Amino acid sequence: MDFDKIALEPIRLDEAFFHKLPKVDLHVHLDGSLRLETILDLAIKDKIPLGIETIDDLKAILKPGYRHKSLDDYLKGFDITLKVMQTDEALYRTAYELAQDAAMENIEYMEVRYSPILHTRKKLSLAAILESVLAGLRDANKDFGIESGVIVSGIRNISPAISMRLAELSVAFKNRGVVGFDLAGSEYNFPAKDHLKAFNLILSNNVNVTIHAGEAYGPESIHQALHYCGAHRVGHGTRLREDGDLLNYVNDHRIPLEICLSSNVQTGAVADLEEHPFRFYHDLGLRVTLNTDNRTITDTTMTREYLLAYENFDLLPLDILDLVMGGVKSAFIPYEFKRDSIRRTKDKVKKMLVEEAVKQGVTP
Ligand SMILES: [Zn+2]
C-alpha cells in the first residue's frame, strides 16, 4: 500500500514501534545523560565524596524526572554529575555509554553537547577534554554503528572571555568532530549578546550555531539568538508563541526548534504538556524536532519522547514522518550526506507505518 493512502488515518502505535523507529537526537547534554550506575562507580573509583552509597541515595539527590520550580533549580543536578566527569577516562566512558544507550533504542544520529570548561577541575586541557569525548563517540560508532557529532556549549552565566576560548576550540576542531556551537545555562539575566565576540568568531569560520533560547525567558531571547548571534537552530523556543511576527520569521526561514517535551515540563518552561506549544508549532508548519535534553536528569529516552508526543497530541502517520524528517533535515551534517540520509530514512519510516496500518486492517 502507498503511504499517502494511510498518511492521515489514525493508527495505534506503541512503545515497541517507537523503539524500532529510526531516530535522531539533536539536543542531548552529555553531563545530563550518564548512567546512574556509572555515576556511582566513578565516584567510588575516583574517591569523590558524594555522600551516597546506593543508586537510591543517588536518585534522592539527583531527582531524575522531578518537576522543578525553575530552570535554575533543574540545573542543580549537574553539580553532581560534573563532579565525576573530571578525568579522561570518565569523559571517554560517559560519551561511549551515552552513544551505546542511544544506539540501543535505534537513534541513528546524535549531536552531543557539553561545555569543556566545566571539566577542567583537575587541570585537563580543553583540547584533551574534547579528544576524550570524541574518542568515546568514535569507538561507539565502531561498535554500534551510531553516527554522532559534538556541539560545544558556551555558558551564559560564565564570562564571555571563556565563551571566546570555547569558540576558538570549536573552530580548531571543526571537521574533526565538532559540528556546532551552543549557548546554555541560566537564561534569565544573562543575554546571549554578551557573548557576541565568540559568535562573531564562530560565524566567520562557518561553524553551525544553536542557542538555548525562549525556555526560561521571553521571545526577546530568541530574537537575540537569531539576529545578534546568528543561530541556525533554536534550543526549545517554548516562548516563541508570544511573538507572532518572530514566529513567522522562524517558520519562513525554516529555522528548526529543538523541542524537549519532558524537560520543558520539568524546568517549568510550560506548566504541563497540555500547555505545550508543540501542536501549535507543528500545525503552523514550523520545523519541529523532538529531543531528550537530558536522558538521566529528565529520566527519558527518544522512544519515550515520541510516545509522549503521540499520546498527548493525537499524531497521525504523516505527523510521525514529519517529526523524524524534521530531525534529519535539521542535523548539522554536510548536505551531500544528508540528502542520502533523508531519502533512506523517509523510505524506512513510511514502510514501518504502512506495515503497521496493514497489520491493523486500516483501509483508507
Ligand atoms: Zn538543553
Side-chain angles (χ1 to χ4, degrees):
M1 198 183 348
D2 193 28
F3 176 77
D4 294 344
K5 294 217 167 74
I6 59 112
L8 300 174
E9 299 292 332
I11 58 174
R12 289 183 313 278
L13 300 171
D14 59 8
E15 194 171 346
F17 175 86
F18 289 111
H19 173 86
K20 228 176 87 188
L21 190 71
K23 297 175 283 295
V24 304
D25 189 356
L26 302 179
H27 188 131
V28 55
H29 294 262
L30 177 64
D31 45 340
S33 308
L34 290 72
R35 293 178 190 164
L36 292 170
E37 305 75 41
T38 300
I39 300 176
L40 202 58
D41 195 35
L42 287 170
I44 294 166
K45 211 155 43 190
D46 295 340
K47 300 190 178 59
I48 298 151
L50 293 183
I52 53 161
E53 279 170 15
T54 65
I55 294 286
D56 282 341
D57 295 343
L58 178 59
K59 280 187 182 165
I61 55 166
L62 200 62
K63 298 187 179 140
Y66 185 82
R67 279 195 191 196
H68 297 270
K69 289 189 294 289
S70 65
L71 175 62
D72 286 352
D73 201 33
Y74 173 89
L75 293 174
K76 283 180 187 149
F78 293 86
D79 292 344
I80 298 155
T81 58
L82 285 168
K83 280 186 183 155
V84 302
M85 299 176 74
Q86 302 295 334
T87 65
D88 289 326
E89 297 76 18
L91 288 160
Y92 171 90
R93 176 173 170 183
T94 51
Y96 179 88
E97 290 179 350
L98 166 56
Q100 181 180 18
D101 292 346
M104 291 305 127
E105 60 155 338
N106 299 305
I107 292 175
E108 297 188 345
Y109 175 75
M110 174 174 67
E111 287 172 6
V112 183
R113 63 184 75 194
Y114 75 116
S115 187
I117 199 70
L118 302 178
H119 303 267
T120 51
R121 292 179 198 171
K122 289 189 178 163
K123 309 287 178 221
L124 291 180
S125 73
L126 292 178
I129 290 163
L130 199 45
E131 298 274 15
S132 300
V133 167
L134 290 172
L137 295 176
R138 227 174 8 246
D139 284 354
N141 172 259
K142 271 186 233 145
D143 295 346
F144 313 110
I146 181 171
E147 302 281 347
S148 55
V150 163
I151 294 174
V152 170
S153 295
I155 305 287
R156 286 176 180 268
N157 42 309
I158 294 181
S159 83
I162 295 290
S163 294
M164 190 62 184
R165 281 180 63 198
L166 292 168
E168 285 164 358
L169 181 76
S170 306
V171 170
F173 278 80
K174 186 190 162 190
N175 301 328
R176 290 167 59 204
V178 171
V179 298
F181 187 72
D182 165 47
L183 199 58
S186 192
E187 191 177 359
Y188 204 83
N189 282 334
F190 297 99
K193 66 178 180 184
D194 288 357
H195 304 263
L196 213 51
K197 268 193 179 163
F199 285 104
N200 284 340
L201 180 76
I202 284 290
L203 290 169
S204 59
N205 282 281
N206 307 313
V207 176
N208 300 306
V209 175
T210 175
I211 298 181
H212 284 73
E215 181 186 16
Y217 201 80
E220 305 88 326
S221 176
I222 301 170
H223 186 276
Q224 258 188 40
L226 296 175
H227 298 311
Y228 285 76
C229 308
H232 304 104
R233 297 197 316 232
V234 173
H236 305 294
T238 323
R239 294 186 61 183
L240 177 62
R241 66 174 147 189
E242 294 168 31
D243 183 339
D245 197 53
L246 188 62
L247 183 133
N248 286 334
Y249 179 89
V250 168
N251 199 7
D252 293 346
H253 290 267
R254 313 309 298 140
I255 296 165
L257 300 180
E258 303 158 1
I259 302 265
C260 311
L261 292 173
S262 301
S263 162
N264 291 159
V265 174
Q266 292 167 18
T267 62
V270 292
D272 51 42
L273 279 184
E274 242 165 73
E275 294 278 302
H276 201 286
F278 170 87
R279 182 85 237 182
F280 174 60
Y281 291 165
H282 179 69
D283 288 347
L284 278 175
L286 270 93
R287 183 167 291 169
V288 172
T289 67
L290 281 183
N291 310 275
T292 56
D293 207 9
N294 296 289
R295 296 174 70 98
T296 308
I297 304 259
T298 286
D299 189 22
T300 196
T301 59
M302 275 309 299
T303 304
R304 206 175 295 172
E305 293 301 303
Y306 267 94
L307 193 61
L308 264 187
Y310 169 76
E311 286 174 346
N312 285 278
F313 305 110
D314 300 322
L315 302 184
L316 298 170
L318 185 61
D319 301 318
I320 306 287
L321 180 68
D322 278 352
L323 275 176
V324 178
M325 297 322 297
V328 178
K329 287 177 185 169
S330 308
F332 287 152
I333 49 177
Y335 188 65
E336 56 167 321
F337 302 126
K338 196 188 278 189
R339 204 168 35 190
D340 288 344
S341 170
I342 287 174
R343 202 175 306 134
R344 228 178 6 206
T345 312
K346 199 184 264 177
D347 288 348
K348 217 193 274 186
V349 174
K350 280 184 174 176
K351 188 163 169 273
M352 279 182 69
L353 286 161
V354 167
E355 275 171 11
E356 211 52 50
V358 169
K359 222 191 292 173
Q360 292 173 28
V362 174
T363 42

